[in-house]
Amino acid sequence: MEYKVICALVLVSVLALSTLVETQSETCAMAPQERKNCGFPGVTASQCASKGCCFDDTILGVPWCFTPKTIDVPSEDECEF
């Protein structure tokens, strides 16, 4: 019985991890002019992070709190070797 439980847990873990690999990923690395505002004037880094956004106050004239850029991660089927 214990063997069946362990096998089931391993199967669920593998399926969950494979789903994560095929999903999209996000990055805060982008050109300043690509930033889309995610905050409000005076927003702090912690307030920005709590909204799931990026924070960078080193560049004047662009949003400091901005939405992360989506990166498409190809599935294993799309990768060519």
Side-chain angles (χ1 to χ4, degrees):
M1 176 95 172
E2 186 177 318
Y3 177 73
K4 289 181 180 178
V5 172
I6 292 172
C7 287
L9 289 174
V10 168
L11 179 62
V12 169
S13 298
V14 167
L15 290 174
L17 290 174
S18 67
T19 302
L20 289 174
V21 169
E22 293 178 10
T23 59
Q24 296 178 336
S25 185
E26 296 178 334
T27 182
C28 293
M30 66 182 78
Q33 63 271 16
E34 294 179 15
R35 295 181 181 182
K36 293 187 175 114
N37 198 0
C38 187
F40 53 88
V43 66
T44 65
S46 61
Q47 290 170 322
C48 185
S50 70
K51 296 174 70 173
C53 299
C54 304
F55 187 85
D56 178 8
D57 61 356
T58 61
I59 304 172
L60 298 176
V62 296
W64 290 355
C65 181
F66 52 97
T67 55
K69 184 177 183 177
T70 303
I71 300 172
D72 289 326
V73 178
S75 65
E76 291 181 17
D77 297 336
E78 296 175 5
C79 293
E80 296 179 16
F81 295 100

